[in-house]
Amino acid sequence: MKSYSKKFFKFSCLTSFALLILLGVTSTTSHAGTPKYIFYFIGDGMANVQVHAAEAYLAALQGKDEVAGSQKAKLLAMSHFPVQGLSTTFANNRLITGSAAAGTALACGMKTNIGVISMNPDATRSYTTVAELAKAKGMKVGIVSSVSIDHATPAVFYAHQPSRSNYHEIAMALANSDFDYFAGGGFHDDETGTGNAIETAQANGFTYVKTRQALAAVTPGNRVIATDNFLMGGSALAYELDRVNAPETLPLISLAEFTSEGIRLLDNDNGFFMMVEGGKIDWACHANDARAAIDDTIAFDNAIREALNFYMLHPDDTLIVVTADHECGGQTIGFAGTAYDTFFEVLAKQQYSYEVFDEYYVVPYKENHNPAPADIDANMWALILEMFGLDGTGATADEWDDLTEYDKERLEAAFDKTMSGESVNLEEEDRLLYGSYEPLTVTLTHILNQKAGIAWTSYSHTGVPVPVLTIGNSSTLFDGFYDNTDIAKKIAEALGMPLLNVENASVVSSQSDTEI
Amino acid sequence: MKSYSKKFFKFSCLTSFALLILLGVTSTTSHAGTPKYIFYFIGDGMANVQVHAAEAYLAALQGKDEVAGSQKAKLLAMSHFPVQGLSTTFANNRLITGSAAAGTALACGMKTNIGVISMNPDATRSYTTVAELAKAKGMKVGIVSSVSIDHATPAVFYAHQPSRSNYHEIAMALANSDFDYFAGGGFHDDETGTGNAIETAQANGFTYVKTRQALAAVTPGNRVIATDNFLMGGSALAYELDRVNAPETLPLISLAEFTSEGIRLLDNDNGFFMMVEGGKIDWACHANDARAAIDDTIAFDNAIREALNFYMLHPDDTLIVVTADHECGGQTIGFAGTAYDTFFEVLAKQQYSYEVFDEYYVVPYKENHNPAPADIDANMWALILEMFGLDGTGATADEWDDLTEYDKERLEAAFDKTMSGESVNLEEEDRLLYGSYEPLTVTLTHILNQKAGIAWTSYSHTGVPVPVLTIGNSSTLFDGFYDNTDIAKKIAEALGMPLLNVENASVVSSQSDTEI
């Protein structure tokens, strides 16, 4: 994946969005009867800060002098949802949750321990999920994610496992499920061999496709597992930033396309339930890469717009719920160095995610510079300017992109760490500076983010509440401030089929050391 | 104010809170007719993170093993409000707002520039405030704040000035206003002289009181300016942490008391409008002092409980709106060093706010150690242990309180800066580490906060959205995600008296350099 153009984000669904405004759907209305179509969007790692950072970035691209006016526009579709609740996220055994425990709460309405997939805290009993409830009601069910389809958030809807790391068992649960559509990323393990998930799924009647064309050729009535031939680390879809900037020879499938194909394949007289996860917002925030997180939030919003297009055709029968499992990275819109100012437009200078920069630029550079130069050399300064728009040598006539002496010191120290290839997690200061990420790369995203006015406090999830945004049939159930377990209960209530999960009398243990 | 005891926070209004739960007021209800009593609570610098940090701290005090259960309890009254909206905060000319511009939006429903008090952006026209609207309707009006009563947030309700720094003009507007109750902090300038605000106010019929006893002696029907004899920096009330731990010889008046006295004095057949600001949540967050911010959030919530007590007597006629003008400090619940764990209970070790530590401990220490020791000496280590519970010498048998080598390095560097008395704002790294605060003190709160799992990214406000929590008559108007200008419009709508403010055709200027 080489740099070949400087495309910026395109407002891919502006027409539908304008239509949404014209239709005046922002009034608060609920409807009698149960919703026939339920969309459950989960932005992994997406709290209010992540949503608002994406909107502030889009506003900044429209010109700084119109801050007020453009901010007023609320540039993401989800911000126009009429009902906005707030949810706590804690796990059974930890204030700061993980995706398995949070997902179990969102899918089953029950607390569980860190790492457990839709079972009770001591993993002796399975919980029923709202997706299983919908299936039992005769609705078709789809599960879509931008990360691997056996990852914790998608898994909690169809699998029941003591550990999210039981990837093969989770994949086999998928293969043997009676759901209708699995789409997005691939499988964590190789599941193509005899007796493994893909073969089992095909024997069970699933069609397995890996291209846009093959997916488009599937006709409604078929059960499908759909992914993309080209996947990045963890068998996930590429970051949206990398997808948009990928060569034209690599026409990657977007989360919005997997969502719209899901609607096409799932639509039937008995209705459907579809869960769509924006899974890499979280991963980008773990890595403290604001631009990658923003673009994946926009990609997630584009998937939501597909659901909104469908909603506009079936306003009385559709419920759309958008929420998150937790915040990630401790992101804020404000940095000590920029104080009261923000310059989000500088983020547009970043060409690719930290992941592509690591894999396609840092790795080859290390291979070609052995032994490593003592300081950052001209080649690396040029690469930093091209990839992140940061000027360490006065190469450009601009001033905004100049690195300060302090920035250069930080970069030189990180460069040394990266080139040494040593583990950086031994020293406390290194752990705070770099987490488990490539020191040079995470220092570059930190500096660019800070120039924008964005800062981070962690490489892990955090404990702040997350938004719950809803529109359509039964949406008024979701007003107020409640717990993440209540969201699944409200969806079940909307379905007219209460969740009957009961926790057994397990002892709540003290804080877990597991970092997931 | 010397250390004399180790009192912890007391749940001062638990009975009323339990009553609130019993009454089941968490159902979403609105009522016909306009509210006769309106409470407008503004937590300065209080976004969702500040609220949730306070709840997580109260939960931690109840025992770490009950994280899930105690979190479920939602330990602040405001979290039980049935309608929860979300609001953007940007100013006319800056994404990250200031208290004057945000206050003008909250009071008048109009955007203005940074620093302007209830006038249009170029300060050529005054805006009508909702408090003036209420007065015009015949309601009594009260303005309460924990900071000086001429500070930006209280001022926007009764004054109209091109600059929030026009303290004397603002005080004179107060003295000449037809409002009924001003209470909390004092005046920024000395306003006691001939022709100044206090004398003018008294000539206009205001009673001026400075003690709990004198305030209690005022009978309804009198107009009152009430403050406390003992005020801290900026003529503000002491931080709640310092108020609770103050000697018994210094019985400081709480924000909740100023609120309940306001209710007593304002209650009448024509109803009342009362604005109550929790102003020092913001100041504590500027200083990155989590414990001070948490205790002031609890003090603010205690004031809200006084309004809830009143609400329970007049549920059909009362509207309570709780919101914030902006976030401050970029606070998060999650730190790279503590990753997925939190230990909020360690915050209980802090005895006083950064302000009292600076003024009553650091200043005398500097005077008594001239020339300064090269390193932190035994006296200072003992003080750090006593005041913040942090052990730099292995003095205690505990492990949790031990400072790491990295912590000690940071403290030694900060100690040198503090003892040198030099300005620390010249070097970029110093500005990031200390802001404009005493280096030793802010490093101590940083380290203690980080041990708890709380981190900060700024010494300024940030641009994240803030909560809008409402209960009572017309509360359902406040659902959804909207702009801070909409809050004042909704209150006016509830009053049945639309705000008719119109911005003149001023040019929106680019980002301001003013840091307020």
Side-chain angles (χ1 to χ4, degrees):
Chain A
M1 188 180 289
K2 293 192 79 176
S3 171
Y4 75 103
S5 77
K6 300 200 176 195
K7 294 183 212 166
F8 288 112
F9 167 76
K10 292 181 192 67
F11 295 85
S12 57
C13 297
L14 205 61
T15 312
S16 69
F17 183 53
L19 189 57
L20 174 70
I21 305 300
L22 287 171
L23 287 173
V25 293
T26 56
S27 64
T28 305
T29 48
S30 240
H31 304 276
T34 63
K36 187 173 169 185
Y37 312 105
I38 297 182
F39 291 91
Y40 199 178
F41 285 92
I42 301 176
D44 203 306
M46 185 194 78
N48 287 322
V49 178
Q50 278 75 14
V51 175
H52 203 59
E55 298 204 297
Y57 174 65
L58 293 174
L61 291 187
Q62 297 181 8
K64 185 185 284 183
D65 285 350
E66 297 166 289
V67 166
S70 55
Q71 276 294 314
K72 260 180 200 153
K74 293 199 288 188
L75 296 163
L76 294 183
M78 65 178 115
S79 290
H80 293 264
F81 280 28
V83 180
Q84 307 244 347
L86 194 71
S87 159
T88 48
T89 67
F90 58 90
N92 183 61
N93 58 340
R94 212 171 62 192
L95 176 65
I96 298 180
T97 194
S99 290
T104 298
L106 293 172
C108 309
M110 299 296 289
K111 293 292 185 195
T112 196
N113 283 350
I114 297 300
V116 176
I117 299 291
S118 293
M119 300 185 76
N120 62 347
D122 52 9
T124 54
R125 193 192 305 183
S126 292
Y127 289 145
T128 301
T129 80
V130 287
E132 291 164 345
L133 218 55
K135 190 71 201 177
K137 201 181 176 187
M139 300 162 85
K140 291 197 176 185
V141 173
I143 303 293
V144 181
S145 176
S146 54
V147 299
S148 70
I149 200 66
D150 51 8
H151 215 256
T153 308
V156 294
F157 288 90
Y158 62 80
H160 307 274
Q161 284 291 325
S163 169
R164 60 179 288 173
S165 301
N166 295 352
Y167 286 107
H168 175 64
E169 290 77 5
I170 291 169
M172 291 303 287
L174 181 156
N176 289 310
S177 84
D178 55 0
F179 291 1
D180 303 276
Y181 180 68
F182 292 97
F187 292 86
H188 187 273
D189 297 333
D190 178 19
E191 294 288 346
T192 54
T194 302
N196 279 4
I198 297 299
E199 189 184 61
T200 306
Q202 288 172 321
N204 286 336
F206 276 103
T207 303
Y208 179 53
V209 296
K210 296 175 75 176
T211 66
R212 176 181 283 122
Q213 291 72 21
L215 177 55
V218 180
T219 51
N222 289 288
R223 299 204 299 150
V224 186
I225 299 171
T227 184
D228 198 323
N229 258 323
F230 181 88
L231 296 171
M232 291 292 293
S235 295
L237 301 184
Y239 280 106
E240 178 73 359
L241 172 59
D242 302 328
R243 189 189 71 80
V244 171
N245 284 345
E248 285 173 24
T249 51
L250 199 60
L252 301 174
I253 311 174
S254 70
L255 188 66
E257 287 176 273
F258 282 120
T259 304
S260 65
E261 286 289 31
I263 293 170
R264 180 178 69 82
L265 293 169
L266 294 172
D267 192 9
N268 77 103
D269 289 345
N270 292 324
F272 62 79
F273 171 98
M274 177 155 47
M275 192 290 295
V276 181
E277 184 201 18
K280 289 183 80 167
I281 301 167
D282 179 68
W283 295 13
C285 290
H286 275 291
N288 292 183
D289 182 342
R291 177 68 198 284
I294 284 170
D295 282 37
D296 261 54
T297 301
I298 293 167
F300 183 59
D301 196 64
N302 285 340
I304 293 168
R305 286 167 196 244
E306 297 295 337
L308 276 168
N309 287 342
F310 183 86
Y311 164 88
M312 284 186 278
L313 300 173
H314 311 275
D316 293 340
D317 293 328
T318 306
L319 167 65
I320 308 178
V321 177
V322 179
T323 190
D325 49 359
H326 48 71
E327 202 273 346
C328 184
Q331 189 181 21
T332 67
I333 300 177
F335 172 60
T338 44
Y340 288 94
D341 289 325
T342 50
F343 307 94
F344 274 47
E345 63 280 10
V346 304
L347 298 174
K349 297 289 181 181
Q350 184 175 337
Q351 298 303 305
Y352 294 111
S353 73
Y354 74 96
E355 184 186 25
V356 162
F357 184 71
D358 277 352
E359 195 165 327
Y360 293 87
Y361 296 92
V362 175
V363 168
Y365 179 90
K366 285 168 81 167
E367 287 169 0
N368 295 332
H369 294 75
N370 193 354
D375 298 314
I376 297 175
D377 65 3
N379 288 338
M380 180 51 81
W381 282 126
L383 187 59
I384 289 171
L385 181 59
E386 183 190 355
M387 290 289 112
F388 294 91
L390 298 171
D391 185 7
T393 63
T396 76
D398 298 334
E399 276 186 28
W400 80 266
D401 60 5
D402 287 347
L403 292 169
T404 65
E405 288 308 311
Y406 179 57
D407 289 339
K408 286 186 210 170
E409 278 170 31
R410 291 195 283 169
L411 274 179
E412 289 286 1
F415 177 78
D416 290 346
K417 292 277 178 190
T418 283
M419 296 307 286
S420 76
E422 291 167 10
S423 168
V424 297
N425 265 317
L426 300 175
E427 296 289 334
E428 183 179 7
E429 188 173 2
D430 283 357
R431 204 169 63 231
L432 301 183
L433 288 173
Y434 314 128
S436 58
Y437 291 90
E438 190 65 77
L440 177 65
T441 311
V442 76
T443 305
L444 284 166
T445 60
H446 281 165
I447 290 173
L448 183 67
N449 292 183
Q450 289 166 1
K451 275 184 176 284
I454 290 178
W456 308 85
T457 67
S458 178
Y459 304 96
S460 306
H461 308 155
T462 71
V464 302
V466 297
V468 187
L469 320 172
T470 59
I471 189 170
N473 184 315
S474 305
S475 61
T476 51
L477 290 175
F478 296 84
D479 195 10
F481 181 34
Y482 38 80
D483 187 51
N484 57 0
T485 53
D486 295 321
I487 303 172
K489 290 173 189 160
K490 289 170 192 289
I491 290 176
E493 184 182 345
L495 275 169
M497 296 177 73
L499 279 165
L500 298 175
N501 294 317
V502 181
E503 184 185 333
N504 64 359
S506 69
V507 177
V508 176
S509 63
S510 59
Q511 293 210 352
S512 164
D513 291 330
T514 317
E515 300 195 358
I516 290 174
Chain B
M1 188 179 287
K2 293 192 79 178
S3 171
Y4 74 104
S5 77
K6 299 201 175 193
K7 292 185 213 165
F8 289 111
F9 167 74
K10 294 183 190 66
F11 295 84
S12 59
C13 297
L14 205 61
T15 313
S16 70
F17 184 51
L19 188 59
L20 174 70
I21 304 301
L22 287 171
L23 286 174
V25 294
T26 57
S27 65
T28 306
T29 48
S30 241
H31 305 274
T34 63
K36 187 172 169 186
Y37 311 105
I38 297 182
F39 292 91
Y40 199 179
F41 286 92
I42 301 176
D44 202 306
M46 187 195 76
N48 287 321
V49 178
Q50 278 76 13
V51 175
H52 203 58
E55 298 204 297
Y57 174 65
L58 293 174
L61 291 187
Q62 297 181 7
K64 184 185 283 182
D65 285 350
E66 298 166 287
V67 165
S70 57
Q71 277 294 312
K72 260 181 200 153
K74 294 199 287 189
L75 295 163
L76 294 182
M78 64 179 115
S79 290
H80 293 264
F81 280 27
V83 180
Q84 307 245 344
L86 194 71
S87 159
T88 47
T89 67
F90 59 90
N92 184 60
N93 58 339
R94 211 171 64 192
L95 176 64
I96 298 180
T97 193
S99 289
T104 298
L106 293 173
C108 310
M110 299 296 289
K111 293 293 186 193
T112 197
N113 283 350
I114 296 299
V116 176
I117 299 290
S118 293
M119 300 186 76
N120 61 348
D122 52 10
T124 54
R125 192 191 307 182
S126 293
Y127 289 146
T128 300
T129 80
V130 286
E132 291 164 344
L133 219 55
K135 190 71 201 177
K137 202 181 174 187
M139 299 162 83
K140 292 198 175 185
V141 174
I143 303 293
V144 181
S145 176
S146 54
V147 300
S148 70
I149 199 68
D150 52 7
H151 214 256
T153 307
V156 294
F157 287 90
Y158 62 81
H160 307 272
Q161 285 291 325
S163 169
R164 60 178 289 171
S165 302
N166 295 352
Y167 286 108
H168 175 65
E169 289 77 4
I170 291 169
M172 291 304 287
L174 182 155
N176 290 309
S177 85
D178 55 0
F179 290 2
D180 304 276
Y181 181 67
F182 293 97
F187 292 87
H188 187 273
D189 296 333
D190 179 18
E191 293 289 346
T192 54
T194 302
N196 279 3
I198 297 298
E199 189 184 61
T200 307
Q202 287 171 322
N204 287 335
F206 276 103
T207 302
Y208 179 52
V209 296
K210 296 175 75 176
T211 66
R212 176 179 284 121
Q213 291 71 21
L215 177 55
V218 179
T219 51
N222 290 288
R223 299 204 300 151
V224 186
I225 299 172
T227 184
D228 198 322
N229 259 322
F230 181 88
L231 296 172
M232 292 291 293
S235 294
L237 301 184
Y239 281 107
E240 177 72 0
L241 172 60
D242 302 328
R243 189 189 71 79
V244 171
N245 285 344
E248 284 172 24
T249 52
L250 200 60
L252 302 173
I253 311 174
S254 69
L255 188 66
E257 287 177 272
F258 282 120
T259 304
S260 65
E261 286 289 32
I263 293 170
R264 179 178 69 84
L265 292 168
L266 294 172
D267 193 9
N268 79 102
D269 289 346
N270 292 324
F272 62 80
F273 171 99
M274 177 155 47
M275 191 290 294
V276 180
E277 184 201 18
K280 290 184 80 166
I281 302 167
D282 180 68
W283 294 12
C285 291
H286 276 290
N288 292 183
D289 183 341
R291 178 67 198 285
I294 284 170
D295 282 38
D296 262 54
T297 301
I298 293 167
F300 183 59
D301 197 63
N302 286 340
I304 293 169
R305 286 168 196 243
E306 296 295 338
L308 276 168
N309 287 341
F310 184 85
Y311 164 87
M312 284 186 278
L313 300 173
H314 311 276
D316 293 340
D317 293 328
T318 306
L319 167 65
I320 308 178
V321 177
V322 179
T323 189
D325 50 359
H326 48 71
E327 202 274 345
C328 184
Q331 188 180 22
T332 68
I333 300 177
F335 172 60
T338 43
Y340 288 94
D341 288 324
T342 50
F343 307 93
F344 274 47
E345 64 279 9
V346 304
L347 298 174
K349 297 288 182 181
Q350 184 174 337
Q351 297 303 306
Y352 293 111
S353 73
Y354 74 96
E355 185 185 25
V356 162
F357 184 70
D358 277 352
E359 196 164 327
Y360 293 87
Y361 296 92
V362 175
V363 168
Y365 180 91
K366 285 168 82 166
E367 286 170 359
N368 295 333
H369 295 75
N370 193 355
D375 298 313
I376 297 177
D377 64 3
N379 289 339
M380 180 51 82
W381 281 127
L383 187 60
I384 288 170
L385 181 59
E386 183 191 354
M387 291 288 112
F388 294 92
L390 298 172
D391 185 6
T393 62
T396 76
D398 298 335
E399 275 187 28
W400 79 265
D401 60 4
D402 287 347
L403 292 169
T404 65
E405 287 309 311
Y406 179 57
D407 289 337
K408 286 186 212 170
E409 280 170 30
R410 290 196 282 169
L411 274 179
E412 289 287 0
F415 177 78
D416 290 346
K417 293 277 178 191
T418 282
M419 296 307 288
S420 77
E422 290 167 13
S423 168
V424 297
N425 265 317
L426 300 175
E427 297 289 335
E428 183 179 8
E429 189 173 0
D430 283 355
R431 203 169 64 231
L432 300 183
L433 288 174
Y434 315 127
S436 59
Y437 292 90
E438 191 64 78
L440 177 65
T441 311
V442 76
T443 305
L444 284 166
T445 59
H446 280 165
I447 290 174
L448 184 67
N449 293 183
Q450 289 167 0
K451 275 185 176 283
I454 289 178
W456 307 86
T457 67
S458 178
Y459 304 96
S460 306
H461 308 156
T462 71
V464 302
V466 296
V468 187
L469 319 174
T470 58
I471 190 170
N473 185 313
S474 305
S475 59
T476 51
L477 289 174
F478 296 84
D479 195 9
F481 181 34
Y482 38 80
D483 186 50
N484 57 0
T485 53
D486 295 322
I487 302 172
K489 289 174 190 159
K490 289 170 192 288
I491 290 175
E493 184 182 345
L495 276 169
M497 296 177 74
L499 279 165
L500 298 174
N501 294 317
V502 181
E503 183 185 332
N504 64 359
S506 69
V507 177
V508 176
S509 62
S510 59
Q511 295 209 350
S512 163
D513 291 330
T514 316
E515 301 195 357
I516 290 174

